[in-house]
Amino acid sequence: MHYTAGAPAVWDAAFADADDCLLSSDQCVVKDQHHFVKGLIEIPVIGTDEMFSWAVWVSLSRQNFARAADLWETPGRESEPPYFGWLNTELTVYSSTTLNLKTHLHTRPLGERPFVELEPTDHPLAVEQRTGITLDRVREIAEAVLHPAGGGRR
């Protein structure tokens, strides 16, 4: 019911030792120019009280990243307006790329990962976030993620 991306799509292992790069479980900086926060795309599972989620990376402007980082440990941070960002995680279970989908990152209370709201487009991921998915679709995603064949695209 939950899958996570370890790093943004633009991350390279060679960045790990660079002074101008950082990768933590929640935040990432690449070459002190690109800034990312990890959040959740939540998708309701039809006919249940369950949520399926993708933990993904969203790029933020330097200003919004700095603001989010400043408030990271601040109670009440969830009252902050959402930050505009671009999805920077490739979810290969979708036939069209998920890179650079427009998002809004909603900060939540301390200890909770931000919520990623996708722009309401006709991209299959955005449609699923709006309309929900069946348990059969959850199983299909699990199969594609755990046993990718032919690149994992359907």
Side-chain angles (χ1 to χ4, degrees):
M1 297 296 279
H2 176 82
Y3 296 98
T4 188
V10 299
W11 181 260
D12 186 294
F15 298 153
D17 295 325
D19 291 339
D20 58 353
C21 297
L22 161 82
L23 177 63
S24 75
S25 61
D26 299 306
Q27 300 174 355
C28 180
V29 177
V30 174
K31 303 282 187 188
D32 203 25
Q33 295 178 357
H34 306 284
H35 304 83
F36 307 91
V37 171
K38 193 181 234 182
L40 295 177
I41 296 174
E42 295 175 336
I43 302 172
V45 179
I46 297 167
T48 75
D49 293 331
E50 304 269 341
M51 277 289 183
F52 176 87
S53 62
W54 294 106
V56 297
W57 294 90
V58 172
S59 69
L60 300 178
S61 68
R62 180 187 303 269
Q63 178 182 357
N64 284 344
F65 179 82
R67 176 80 178 155
D70 286 347
L71 296 174
W72 203 256
E73 298 295 328
T74 303
R77 68 183 191 170
E78 64 274 14
S79 64
E80 187 75 0
Y83 305 113
F84 175 80
W86 301 94
L87 188 59
N88 198 259
T89 300
E90 181 68 81
L91 301 174
T92 59
V93 301
Y94 296 95
S95 57
S96 53
T97 185
T98 56
L99 290 176
N100 297 318
L101 292 176
K102 292 179 182 179
T103 70
H104 283 94
L105 186 82
H106 298 262
T107 308
R108 290 180 169 163
L110 291 179
E112 292 184 39
R113 221 176 257 300
F115 170 69
V116 177
E117 175 190 13
L118 296 168
E119 180 181 58
T121 65
D122 62 354
H123 189 283
L125 178 58
V127 171
E128 287 182 347
Q129 187 177 46
R130 284 194 311 274
T131 63
I133 58 176
T134 64
L135 281 171
D136 285 342
R137 175 66 175 139
V138 171
R139 285 189 279 278
E140 180 183 311
I141 291 170
E143 183 66 26
V145 170
L146 298 174
H147 307 288
R153 293 197 185 271
R154 61 174 178 155

